[in-house]
Amino acid sequence: VHVFAVNSSLGVPVNESYTFSISDTTAPQVDSVVAVDLQRIRVVFTEDIRQDASAASALILANWSLQRLGDYLTPLVSAEIVSIEAVDDTTVDLITDIALTPNGNYRVTATSLVDSFDNEIVGPNNTADFLGWMPPQPEGRVWDLFKKLPQLNRQEDAPHLRCSRSRGL
């Protein structure tokens, strides 16, 4: 910043220069995670994240983990992250080996990543839960395949279905 002024009361000119530097000491955080299709997970950070060949890069597979949050009532596939694509300076896409369970609960965790000022990501701000991608269902549409079967077949299967439902199948 350059300051030049004349003090009218003293008649002395002021000619000064000042230099400022700003230092970022804030660690990056996972801002949001969303499944954008069956095998693509988009992770957005709160600031620019390193995306190069270094060990602290968001493009290194070893810096990521994907965990299932299902239970015995809602089993989920166990997928692994197989590749990572840069979207922009704050965003990466994680690609899985198989399709995630639609609407299933998952958790993604980033470790050892740094931002452009070498601030390392730390917990609990390095993890986020998300749902597996679910295809859009237009309003008013019903996806009940059983009702699409002929009435005769549904009546024949009705005793079997009642029995299955009572056993929790």
Side-chain angles (χ1 to χ4, degrees):
V1 176
H2 183 81
V3 178
F4 179 77
V6 176
N7 187 330
S8 60
S9 63
L10 299 174
V12 179
V14 176
N15 189 2
E16 301 282 334
S17 291
Y18 302 94
T19 303
F20 299 95
S21 61
I22 298 173
S23 178
D24 177 2
T25 59
T26 306
Q29 300 178 16
V30 173
D31 188 40
S32 65
V33 177
V34 63
V36 293
D37 65 30
L38 289 172
Q39 288 182 258
R40 183 176 299 267
I41 305 161
R42 181 150 296 163
V43 182
V44 179
F45 295 92
T46 55
E47 57 185 291
D48 292 357
I49 198 80
R50 185 173 294 166
Q51 298 179 25
D52 54 22
S54 69
S57 168
L59 301 179
I60 303 297
L61 285 173
N63 294 339
W64 294 96
S65 66
L66 181 63
Q67 179 183 0
R68 298 178 294 173
L69 299 178
D71 53 31
Y72 294 113
L73 299 176
T74 50
L76 304 175
V77 297
S78 179
E80 291 187 26
I81 300 166
V82 293
S83 67
I84 304 163
E85 298 173 1
V87 176
D88 59 34
D89 291 340
T90 61
T91 309
V92 294
D93 280 353
L94 310 177
I95 313 302
T96 60
D97 59 341
I98 59 174
L100 299 177
T101 302
N103 219 28
N105 291 311
Y106 290 91
R107 175 174 294 147
V108 68
T109 303
T111 55
S112 304
L113 304 183
V114 297
D115 64 13
S116 51
F117 292 96
D118 291 328
N119 300 310
E120 187 172 351
I121 194 166
V122 293
N125 300 318
N126 65 332
T127 186
D129 297 349
F130 68 98
L131 296 175
W133 183 79
M134 185 73 167
Q137 180 175 336
E139 200 171 314
R141 289 208 183 154
V142 178
W143 298 98
D144 186 350
L145 295 178
F146 183 74
K147 289 183 180 176
K148 295 194 180 293
L149 294 173
Q151 180 67 30
L152 176 65
N153 297 108
R154 288 188 288 164
Q155 287 172 341
E156 289 173 350
D157 286 343
H160 170 70
L161 290 175
R162 280 192 295 268
C163 183
S164 297
R165 287 184 185 143
S166 66
R167 286 184 287 171
L169 298 176

